[in-house]
PDB file of all heavy atoms in Angstrom:
ATOM      1  N   HIS O 270       9.152  65.185   1.786  1.00 89.00           N
ATOM      2  CA  HIS O 270       9.314  63.822   2.275  1.00 89.00           C
ATOM      3  C   HIS O 270       9.273  63.806   3.804  1.00 89.00           C
ATOM      4  O   HIS O 270      10.008  64.544   4.450  1.00 89.00           O
ATOM      5  CB  HIS O 270      10.639  63.244   1.780  1.00 89.00           C
ATOM      6  CG  HIS O 270      10.731  63.183   0.290  1.00 89.00           C
ATOM      7  ND1 HIS O 270      10.299  62.097  -0.440  1.00 89.00           N
ATOM      8  CD2 HIS O 270      11.182  64.089  -0.616  1.00 89.00           C
ATOM      9  CE1 HIS O 270      10.493  62.328  -1.724  1.00 89.00           C
ATOM     10  NE2 HIS O 270      11.026  63.532  -1.853  1.00 89.00           N
ATOM     11  N   VAL O 271       8.415  62.966   4.339  1.00 90.00           N
ATOM     12  CA  VAL O 271       8.249  62.874   5.793  1.00 90.00           C
ATOM     13  C   VAL O 271       8.467  61.432   6.226  1.00 90.00           C
ATOM     14  O   VAL O 271       7.902  60.504   5.647  1.00 90.00           O
ATOM     15  CB  VAL O 271       6.841  63.328   6.230  1.00 90.00           C
ATOM     16  CG1 VAL O 271       6.697  63.223   7.743  1.00 90.00           C
ATOM     17  CG2 VAL O 271       6.549  64.746   5.753  1.00 90.00           C
ATOM     18  N   THR O 272       9.302  61.260   7.248  1.00 89.00           N
ATOM     19  CA  THR O 272       9.469  59.954   7.869  1.00 89.00           C
ATOM     20  C   THR O 272       8.858  60.030   9.259  1.00 89.00           C
ATOM     21  O   THR O 272       9.281  60.852  10.071  1.00 89.00           O
ATOM     22  CB  THR O 272      10.955  59.568   7.979  1.00 89.00           C
ATOM     23  OG1 THR O 272      11.515  59.456   6.660  1.00 89.00           O
ATOM     24  CG2 THR O 272      11.112  58.228   8.673  1.00 89.00           C
ATOM     25  N   ALA O 273       7.865  59.197   9.524  1.00 89.00           N
ATOM     26  CA  ALA O 273       7.158  59.225  10.809  1.00 89.00           C
ATOM     27  C   ALA O 273       7.524  58.002  11.635  1.00 89.00           C
ATOM     28  O   ALA O 273       7.490  56.870  11.142  1.00 89.00           O
ATOM     29  CB  ALA O 273       5.650  59.273  10.578  1.00 89.00           C
ATOM     30  N   PHE O 274       7.889  58.240  12.891  1.00 88.00           N
ATOM     31  CA  PHE O 274       8.206  57.169  13.831  1.00 88.00           C
ATOM     32  C   PHE O 274       7.161  57.143  14.944  1.00 88.00           C
ATOM     33  O   PHE O 274       6.630  58.183  15.317  1.00 88.00           O
ATOM     34  CB  PHE O 274       9.586  57.390  14.462  1.00 88.00           C
ATOM     35  CG  PHE O 274      10.713  57.417  13.478  1.00 88.00           C
ATOM     36  CD1 PHE O 274      11.152  58.611  12.934  1.00 88.00           C
ATOM     37  CD2 PHE O 274      11.340  56.250  13.109  1.00 88.00           C
ATOM     38  CE1 PHE O 274      12.203  58.635  12.030  1.00 88.00           C
ATOM     39  CE2 PHE O 274      12.394  56.263  12.211  1.00 88.00           C
ATOM     40  CZ  PHE O 274      12.826  57.456  11.665  1.00 88.00           C
ATOM     41  N   PRO O 275       6.881  55.982  15.502  1.00 86.00           N
ATOM     42  CA  PRO O 275       5.910  55.924  16.597  1.00 86.00           C
ATOM     43  C   PRO O 275       6.452  56.479  17.907  1.00 86.00           C
ATOM     44  O   PRO O 275       5.681  56.923  18.754  1.00 86.00           O
ATOM     45  CB  PRO O 275       5.598  54.424  16.710  1.00 86.00           C
ATOM     46  CG  PRO O 275       6.822  53.750  16.188  1.00 86.00           C
ATOM     47  CD  PRO O 275       7.342  54.641  15.100  1.00 86.00           C
ATOM     48  N   ASN O 276       7.796  56.469  18.075  1.00 83.00           N
ATOM     49  CA  ASN O 276       8.395  56.926  19.324  1.00 83.00           C
ATOM     50  C   ASN O 276       9.892  57.155  19.121  1.00 83.00           C
ATOM     51  O   ASN O 276      10.450  56.829  18.065  1.00 83.00           O
ATOM     52  CB  ASN O 276       8.166  55.908  20.446  1.00 83.00           C
ATOM     53  CG  ASN O 276       8.533  54.498  20.004  1.00 83.00           C
ATOM     54  OD1 ASN O 276       9.648  54.252  19.545  1.00 83.00           O
ATOM     55  ND2 ASN O 276       7.586  53.582  20.122  1.00 83.00           N
ATOM     56  N   ARG O 277      10.537  57.714  20.129  1.00 82.00           N
ATOM     57  CA  ARG O 277      11.967  58.029  20.040  1.00 82.00           C
ATOM     58  C   ARG O 277      12.830  56.764  19.989  1.00 82.00           C
ATOM     59  O   ARG O 277      13.885  56.745  19.351  1.00 82.00           O
ATOM     60  CB  ARG O 277      12.387  58.906  21.220  1.00 82.00           C
ATOM     61  CG  ARG O 277      11.784  60.296  21.175  1.00 82.00           C
ATOM     62  CD  ARG O 277      12.279  61.172  22.314  1.00 82.00           C
ATOM     63  NE  ARG O 277      11.652  62.476  22.266  1.00 82.00           N
ATOM     64  CZ  ARG O 277      12.055  63.480  21.498  1.00 82.00           C
ATOM     65  NH1 ARG O 277      13.108  63.320  20.720  1.00 82.00           N
ATOM     66  NH2 ARG O 277      11.422  64.632  21.506  1.00 82.00           N
ATOM     67  N   ALA O 278      12.382  55.714  20.664  1.00 80.00           N
ATOM     68  CA  ALA O 278      13.170  54.479  20.672  1.00 80.00           C
ATOM     69  C   ALA O 278      13.295  53.905  19.262  1.00 80.00           C
ATOM     70  O   ALA O 278      14.376  53.475  18.847  1.00 80.00           O
ATOM     71  CB  ALA O 278      12.527  53.457  21.601  1.00 80.00           C
ATOM     72  N   THR O 279      12.189  53.933  18.520  1.00 79.00           N
ATOM     73  CA  THR O 279      12.235  53.430  17.142  1.00 79.00           C
ATOM     74  C   THR O 279      13.117  54.312  16.288  1.00 79.00           C
ATOM     75  O   THR O 279      13.920  53.833  15.487  1.00 79.00           O
ATOM     76  CB  THR O 279      10.812  53.370  16.550  1.00 79.00           C
ATOM     77  OG1 THR O 279       9.985  52.544  17.373  1.00 79.00           O
ATOM     78  CG2 THR O 279      10.841  52.800  15.140  1.00 79.00           C
ATOM     79  N   MET O 280      12.982  55.631  16.449  1.00 81.00           N
ATOM     80  CA  MET O 280      13.823  56.545  15.681  1.00 81.00           C
ATOM     81  C   MET O 280      15.305  56.306  15.989  1.00 81.00           C
ATOM     82  O   MET O 280      16.151  56.308  15.083  1.00 81.00           O
ATOM     83  CB  MET O 280      13.472  58.002  15.988  1.00 81.00           C
ATOM     84  CG  MET O 280      14.238  58.994  15.121  1.00 81.00           C
ATOM     85  SD  MET O 280      13.976  60.725  15.598  1.00 81.00           S
ATOM     86  CE  MET O 280      14.956  60.795  17.103  1.00 81.00           C
ATOM     87  N   GLY O 281      15.609  56.069  17.275  1.00 78.00           N
ATOM     88  CA  GLY O 281      16.995  55.881  17.667  1.00 78.00           C
ATOM     89  C   GLY O 281      17.658  54.709  16.983  1.00 78.00           C
ATOM     90  O   GLY O 281      18.862  54.734  16.708  1.00 78.00           O
TER      91      GLY O 281
END
Side-chain angles (χ1 to χ4, degrees):
H270 299 271
V271 180
T272 297
F274 299 93
N276 49 55
R277 292 183 182 277
T279 303
M280 185 187 74

